[in-house]
Amino acid sequence: MPAPVQQFRGVVGVEAGRDGLADTWSRVAPRLAERGYRVIMPDLRGHGDSPHAEQYTPELFAADLVQSLPAGADLAIGHSFGASVLSLAVADLGPSRVVYSDPAWRFTDKSVAEIKEFAQFTKATTAEMIQQMFPRWLPEDVEAELAGYARWDIRAMDWLDSAVQYVPERPLVPSLVQGAGDHHLVPDDLAGQLRAVGFEVRYVADTGHCIHRDDLEGFLASLDGWI
């Protein structure tokens, strides 16, 4: 009698931005795999093992995802700028559910200038500096961040403009917005706007932008009912 075929639930973890490589999910992936998920963690163009490119825009990142990832995953997770990219790809990828973790959807002139300044900083930083910035991170988190800084193409943020906003008009599939405890990228007014059009919004207390590395257990607990 042949062995039964094991059924997997698919989850797509998407990361993009100043470092944006898949290794930043290295502590999350095993915990999802324990729940029966097959975890796919792509490096977007200009990040990690993916080649640098001539052009970078969220729309091009999204097109890359659609071309390279299987459609119909049970769950897709996008963090930071990855949430902007994922929100543009959801219609074509067709996941059953989406989690946007501390999404970078709104920009001001000040935040654009800060992000571009930080992009330059990533090429000169050290492990010690990263640990000082993120004291709650484990050594493997610091190592992954430093590797991401070294390998990413800082031109991948040249598209950033405060005139372009990426807040979705409505959720195309059941969608959770997971905000950091500092409420910086998901302030209360944005949370209210999102809830009004059908998003669920949850905050993870005492965390900064990288929720899954500041507090892995809190990150997973906030996904109760979604994973």
Side-chain angles (χ1 to χ4, degrees), residues 15 42 74 101 104 112 127 133 149 156 189 201 205 227:
E15 177 75 27
D74 286 301
S101 183
V112 168
M133 288 189 293
Y149 290 170
D189 68 305
V201 180
I227 60 175

Side-chain angles (χ1 to χ4, degrees), residues 101-103 178-186 202-211 214:
S101 183
D102 214 36
Q178 182 190 60
D182 61 15
H183 290 226
H184 180 61
L185 289 185
V186 187
R202 300 177 182 177
Y203 289 96
V204 182
D206 301 319
T207 60
H209 181 50
C210 296
I211 300 169
D214 280 355

Side-chain angles (χ1 to χ4, degrees), residues 73-124:
D74 286 301
L75 177 67
I77 303 175
H79 169 245
S80 188
F81 293 103
S84 302
V85 174
L86 180 58
S87 64
L88 295 174
V90 162
D92 292 312
L93 287 176
S96 298
R97 301 179 309 286
V98 173
V99 173
Y100 299 110
S101 183
D102 214 36
W105 279 337
R106 296 198 310 194
F107 307 103
T108 65
D109 290 341
K110 181 175 183 290
S111 65
V112 168
E114 290 173 346
I115 292 166
K116 291 188 175 182
E117 180 180 358
F118 192 84
Q120 298 293 330
F121 167 79
T122 63
K123 294 303 183 179

Side-chain angles (χ1 to χ4, degrees), residues 32-142:
L32 295 175
E34 289 171 0
R35 298 169 183 252
Y37 285 101
R38 174 173 173 256
V39 183
I40 304 172
M41 305 183 298
D43 286 328
L44 300 182
R45 62 169 67 192
H47 300 81
D49 290 332
S50 292
H52 293 190
E54 291 299 319
Q55 290 184 299
Y56 299 99
T57 67
E59 291 77 14
L60 289 173
F61 289 136
D64 290 343
L65 289 183
V66 172
Q67 291 176 9
S68 60
L69 295 176
D74 286 301
L75 177 67
I77 303 175
H79 169 245
S80 188
F81 293 103
S84 302
V85 174
L86 180 58
S87 64
L88 295 174
V90 162
D92 292 312
L93 287 176
S96 298
R97 301 179 309 286
V98 173
V99 173
Y100 299 110
S101 183
D102 214 36
W105 279 337
R106 296 198 310 194
F107 307 103
T108 65
D109 290 341
K110 181 175 183 290
S111 65
V112 168
E114 290 173 346
I115 292 166
K116 291 188 175 182
E117 180 180 358
F118 192 84
Q120 298 293 330
F121 167 79
T122 63
K123 294 303 183 179
T125 193
T126 64
E128 291 74 18
M129 295 165 70
I130 295 171
Q131 190 69 76
Q132 289 177 357
M133 288 189 293
F134 307 107
R136 298 173 65 184
W137 288 13
L138 298 182
E140 54 260 47
D141 296 319
V142 174

